[in-house]
Amino acid sequence: MLLIKNLGDGMAEDVPPQDGPAVSSAWLAEQITESSAAGIAAAISRLVRHGELEPQTRLPTVRALAPRLDVSPATVSAAWATLRKQRVVAGGGRQGTWVLGGLAVPRPTRYENISRLWPDQTLNLTRAIPDPALLPDMSAAFVHALRDPDLHSYEVVSISAPLRAAVARTWPFETDHWMCVNGGYEGLLLLMRTTVVPGEHVAIEEPATPRLLDILDNVGARPVPVATDAEGPVPASLREALQHDPVAFIYEPRSSSHFGASVTPSRRDELAALLAGTDTLVIEDDGLGELSSFEYHGIAEVLPAQSVLVRSYSKSHSPDLRLAVMAGAAEPIERVRVYRQFGSGWTSRMLQNALAWLLDDEPSKTAVATARTTYRERRDHLTGLLAARGVQATGLDGLAIWVPVRSEHEALLVLASHGIAAAGASASWTKPGPPAIRIATGLPIPAPDRVADAVARAVQAR
């Protein structure tokens, strides 16, 4: 909801101060005892923490501070980049650099949920989430999981034996390398954390999910967009992206979260031919998982030793399971395994084995199939209501539809005036793309005719 986001996300702090105080390069250099990039950043952070550098204080230029510290401008620039990432400072270049305030944790600015700021009566259609009423009953699954003889063990396992066996029965290619993680986006984050050196390129299909773009920002990757159409990533665009020698290519092999597009076998073969023989790791984000209405035809089928498929079970079985399985190339999965030893180490065997039981349980399979049909009916119903009002929407699959508009900003304002919150497309592009809004259809929409009327007005706003 653009209006609320602009008012609520605090980005006004990034506006250059008009008459804020400034510190001299001589004074600041005296406060810095270690002249490495890390030492400079730590010294500035310490001064901010102790209140000696107040918010909106202008810092000296890179070229003014570097000779005072007897270091290259690149060293100071690296320190400034670290501080910007931590949101200790903002700015750079001609506009200068200034202090933002206290130390902050990097946050997913595109995805961060601000619905807590909305009035209670707001109809929130921003999140493509599953309907709890359509999820399988998990009570028997947990009774079964609690019987695991290894329950309470501290043994680190990448994936439990029951889950590996259950998932392997529907996995689209053969592999010996498996990992269970706490959700699809954690899988993507872990792969990026263990693959990307800050400054390296990562090719991504565009439009991308806002959370993926936030992840790339967090790890310091430089995204290279790859155009998509109804059959998936466009080969000519991928060919151009590969000229940047990206360390990874991330895309959705089916039921993309924005257009609902799924890769066809012929498109898969074209893309695989371009990627074969490169050092680019192919990462497939299968976020809809078993709710997808389309068959999987991903690149990993052709290049399993160069690919990792990340399949989420949050939407199909339960977001509270917090589970995704990834499998494929040995080296990236091993890097993730080692990296996880800094923290959680492994995913709960109890959750893994509960999912394993659900995947083999016939009533649970029926529940997932029923949900798949219901989501399609809800999506088609809203699409039909919009079509009757002269509004064309896209969304072949998934829990949301996309609606082209004349102005994203104005369309969201119109919907907000009707008490409706929708998501804008701008957060999904690395550069400005065609204006559109996304409307979630996973949950039942109350008064759908009223919503369709509001959307029909919103698309005309400019």
Side-chain angles (χ1 to χ4, degrees):
M1 199 171 181
L2 187 59
L3 175 63
I4 297 177
K5 183 173 177 62
N6 283 348
L7 292 176
D9 67 1
M11 294 303 288
E13 294 176 329
D14 287 354
V15 177
Q18 298 300 313
D19 53 0
V23 295
S24 69
S25 58
W27 177 85
L28 190 58
E30 291 178 357
Q31 317 307 312
I32 299 171
T33 57
E34 181 187 339
S35 56
S36 66
I40 296 169
I44 301 297
S45 297
R46 184 173 60 253
L47 292 170
V48 171
R49 191 194 308 273
H50 293 166
E52 296 179 65
L53 286 176
E54 298 179 352
Q56 302 295 289
T57 299
R58 284 191 171 275
L59 300 178
T61 66
V62 168
R63 293 191 177 278
L65 183 59
R68 294 279 186 180
L69 297 172
D70 194 25
V71 299
S72 71
T75 299
V76 179
S77 293
W80 268 205
T82 298
L83 293 168
R84 276 194 296 271
K85 184 176 180 180
Q86 298 296 329
R87 301 213 32 93
V88 177
V89 305
R94 293 183 178 180
Q95 63 182 347
T97 303
W98 61 94
V99 176
L100 280 179
L103 305 183
V105 175
R107 59 179 179 172
T109 55
R110 296 175 183 84
Y111 175 75
E112 190 175 29
N113 189 0
I114 59 166
S115 59
R116 67 187 186 281
L117 304 175
W118 299 342
D120 291 340
Q121 64 271 26
T122 300
L123 176 58
N124 184 357
L125 301 179
T126 65
R127 305 187 71 190
I129 57 177
D131 185 347
L134 297 177
L135 295 170
D137 181 3
M138 293 194 295
S139 55
F142 277 100
V143 169
H144 176 81
L146 289 171
R147 296 172 181 160
D148 187 347
D150 292 327
L151 190 66
H152 307 311
S153 169
Y154 262 83
E155 181 183 358
V156 177
V157 291
S158 297
I159 187 170
S160 73
L163 182 57
R164 174 171 175 170
V167 171
R169 284 190 271 276
T170 59
W171 207 257
F173 56 89
E174 294 290 332
T175 180
D176 293 325
H177 311 289
W178 300 84
M179 174 73 65
C180 184
V181 292
N182 301 329
Y185 280 109
E186 188 195 53
L188 296 179
L189 175 61
L190 290 170
L191 285 167
M192 288 294 92
R193 278 274 174 212
T194 54
T195 298
V196 177
V197 174
E200 289 187 311
H201 291 96
V202 173
I204 57 170
E205 69 173 357
E206 191 169 56
T209 60
R211 291 185 75 180
L212 174 58
L213 293 176
D214 282 334
I215 287 172
L216 296 181
D217 283 349
N218 182 260
V219 302
R222 290 193 284 174
V224 182
V226 176
T228 58
D229 60 21
E231 296 184 38
V234 176
S237 185
L238 176 60
R239 183 183 297 108
E240 183 177 345
L242 290 175
Q243 295 178 5
H244 294 272
D245 193 22
V247 294
F249 169 46
I250 307 175
Y251 81 107
E252 295 176 284
R254 58 177 179 170
S255 311
S256 65
S257 56
H258 294 97
F259 296 139
S262 293
V263 174
T264 62
S266 59
R267 179 61 58 84
R268 172 202 61 198
D269 293 343
E270 290 182 83
L271 298 171
L274 291 171
L275 289 158
T278 70
D279 293 326
T280 301
L281 172 65
V282 179
I283 300 175
E284 299 183 331
D285 176 17
D286 191 14
L288 197 60
E290 295 205 349
L291 283 179
S292 177
S293 299
F294 292 87
E295 294 292 329
Y296 165 93
H297 299 294
I299 298 167
E301 278 188 311
V302 181
L303 302 175
Q306 190 180 332
S307 309
V308 174
L309 168 60
V310 182
R311 178 167 290 171
S312 172
Y313 295 88
S314 294
K315 293 182 174 68
S316 58
H317 290 80
S318 173
D320 269 326
L321 285 173
R322 307 308 307 142
L323 289 184
V325 173
M326 59 188 196
E331 185 177 343
I333 290 178
E334 175 62 10
R335 290 198 300 263
V336 169
R337 186 195 68 78
V338 173
Y339 184 79
R340 291 189 88 194
Q341 304 315 304
F342 284 111
S344 62
W346 76 93
T347 297
S348 164
R349 274 183 295 271
M350 185 165 63
L351 297 177
Q352 292 189 58
N353 292 343
L355 175 59
W357 190 90
L358 292 169
L359 291 174
D360 287 337
D361 176 58
E362 289 303 324
S364 298
K365 292 180 183 179
T366 300
V368 172
T370 300
R372 187 185 305 118
T373 300
T374 303
Y375 291 136
R376 183 183 68 245
E377 292 171 348
R378 290 175 181 175
R379 189 175 60 249
D380 291 347
H381 180 55
L382 183 58
T383 301
L385 290 176
L386 293 175
R389 292 159 172 79
V391 177
Q392 297 302 311
T394 59
L396 298 173
D397 202 7
L399 306 180
I401 60 174
W402 270 45
V403 181
V405 297
R406 293 182 177 181
S407 166
E408 177 185 314
H409 179 85
E410 297 301 323
L412 293 175
L413 287 178
V414 170
L415 290 178
S417 72
H418 289 267
I420 301 169
S426 58
S428 297
W429 297 88
T430 57
K431 295 180 180 179
I437 58 174
R438 189 186 73 167
I439 302 172
T441 58
L443 299 175
I445 297 177
D449 284 285
R450 182 183 75 85
V451 172
D453 287 339
V455 173
R457 293 187 181 96
V459 299
Q460 299 299 321
R462 61 169 81 225

